[in-house]
Amino acid sequence: MVQPMQLLESQVALITGAARGIGRAIAETFAAHGAHVVVTDILEDEAQAVAAAIMAKDHPHAIAQHLDVSEPEDVQRAVMTAVTTFGKLDILVNNAGVLRPHLIVDMPLGDWELTFRVNVRGTFLCSQAAARQMIRQGKGGCIINIASACAKKADRELGAYAASKAAILGLTRVMALELGEYGIRVNAILPGATDTQMLRDVTDAIPGMLDALRAKSALGRIATPQDQANAALFLASHLAAHITGEALVVSGGEFMDT
Ligand SMILES: NC(=O)c1ccc[n+]([C@@H]2O[C@H](COP(=O)([O-])OP(=O)(O)OC[C@H]3O[C@@H](n4cnc5c(N)ncnc54)[C@H](O)[C@@H]3O)[C@@H](O)[C@H]2O)c1
């Protein structure tokens, strides 16, 4: 049988929020392409199950690790786990995120703060710890931030979420600039509506919304987690060796940044 091309042979990748949805698809896709993956999440049992499922598919190099991205000690421990288990860290995917939809006039301060705590502080803390490790290793690296098409467009009730994702885009550009001299590439993916629990939590409450989202896409469907994982695979691989500081929209034409 012809083996598929292994785009991430022996690379070590840490993925946050990887117990389900887009993060899970990224962990599985990276492992299928030869990476050693650290599956991290606050949902420990689910993360363990993802790592076990990856191992069961003949990809022997997956471990699960509890990680709340907003807790500095958790972040340090997760990076150290990657290094002590697999010897190094090459790729970080900042995927963990939360969505708390409210009109601005109704927004509870706690939901605003949680959104920034996970989406922005979490991305900063994980990126800082990973970048320090990559600089110590001296062989470059790759950071991928899962932002959102919402960073560049207005949707009702997404004030905190859109602002947090726009902050991630700013962070992506500055990190790309500062870390380029170490050979560390930093890019963002901006998913459009993607079929995960996060989206279902919103669409289940609003009859017809899923169909409306499908109709907005030029391709007539919402994205799958695999669509986003494929974009992450490309950005993590040598095929994107000269791409940094960019924001790749994966929305089937739901959002066109022209
Ligand atoms: N689904 C979409 O339509 C969509 C669109 C644009 C962007 N995104 C982004 O994609 C990413 C993944 O979202 P998803 O759709 O798979 O959602 P999801 O809710 O299915 O998965 C998010 C994961 O993040 C984890 N998480 C939450 N808080 C955490 C914390 N403090 N520390 C560590 N992990 C934590 C959750 O436990 C969960 O496993 C998010 O950043 C989200 O904002 C999703």
Side-chain angles (χ1 to χ4, degrees):
M1 195 176 107
V2 179
Q3 292 297 317
M5 187 171 43
Q6 299 274 290
L7 285 172
L8 302 179
E9 187 73 55
S10 303
Q11 297 283 292
V12 178
L14 188 155
I15 301 109
T16 70
R20 67 185 193 200
I22 293 170
R24 175 180 185 148
I26 292 172
E28 291 174 343
T29 301
F30 281 15
H33 277 266
H36 302 189
V37 292
V38 185
V39 177
T40 72
D41 206 290
I42 48 174
L43 302 175
E44 253 180 282
D45 292 348
E46 289 86 342
Q48 289 284 359
V50 171
I54 290 172
M55 305 264 275
K57 281 188 186 157
D58 269 354
H59 307 304
H61 303 295
I63 53 163
Q65 169 73 35
H66 171 87
L67 168 58
D68 179 338
V69 294
S70 67
E71 292 291 343
E73 285 177 11
D74 271 23
V75 172
Q76 296 301 331
R77 200 175 308 120
V79 170
M80 273 309 110
T81 299
V83 174
T84 50
T85 310
F86 297 128
K88 58 179 181 155
L89 178 62
D90 302 303
I91 302 163
L92 166 70
V93 183
N94 285 306
N95 167 77
V98 293
L99 168 65
R100 293 289 182 275
H102 301 284
L103 294 173
I104 291 293
V105 289
D106 298 331
M107 179 88 64
L109 185 56
D111 278 354
W112 173 273
E113 287 180 346
L114 175 74
T115 305
F116 273 74
R117 191 175 166 85
V118 177
N119 298 4
V120 184
R121 174 180 157 122
T123 297
F124 161 68
L125 285 173
C126 293
S127 299
Q128 184 184 57
R132 286 174 175 166
Q133 177 59 31
M134 290 169 186
I135 291 169
R136 270 195 295 276
Q137 292 167 188
K139 294 194 170 162
C142 172
I143 298 174
I144 298 170
N145 297 326
I146 308 300
S148 169
C150 295
K152 293 195 170 192
K153 62 177 180 143
D155 278 315
R156 292 171 68 81
E157 300 195 17
L158 297 188
Y161 185 73
S164 74
K165 295 299 188 178
I168 290 174
L169 288 194
L171 199 53
T172 301
R173 293 190 194 103
V174 174
M175 288 199 297
L177 193 63
E178 292 183 358
L179 299 175
E181 67 184 280
Y182 304 103
I184 301 170
R185 296 182 299 107
V186 188
N187 291 292
I189 294 173
L190 280 59
T194 306
D195 194 4
T196 68
Q197 190 63 48
M198 180 183 281
L199 185 75
R200 294 281 171 171
D201 286 346
V202 177
T203 57
D204 286 356
I206 306 173
M209 187 176 174
L210 212 48
D211 284 339
L213 287 172
R214 285 191 192 104
K216 272 201 217 169
S217 155
L219 298 178
R221 67 173 178 87
I222 60 172
T224 62
Q226 189 63 52
D227 289 321
Q228 308 304 339
N230 292 342
L233 174 64
F234 164 66
L235 287 174
S237 78
H238 69 276
L239 298 176
H242 204 50
I243 299 177
T244 195
E246 290 296 334
L248 177 58
V249 178
V250 182
S251 75
E254 172 201 345
F255 173 74
M256 298 193 201
D257 192 12
T258 52

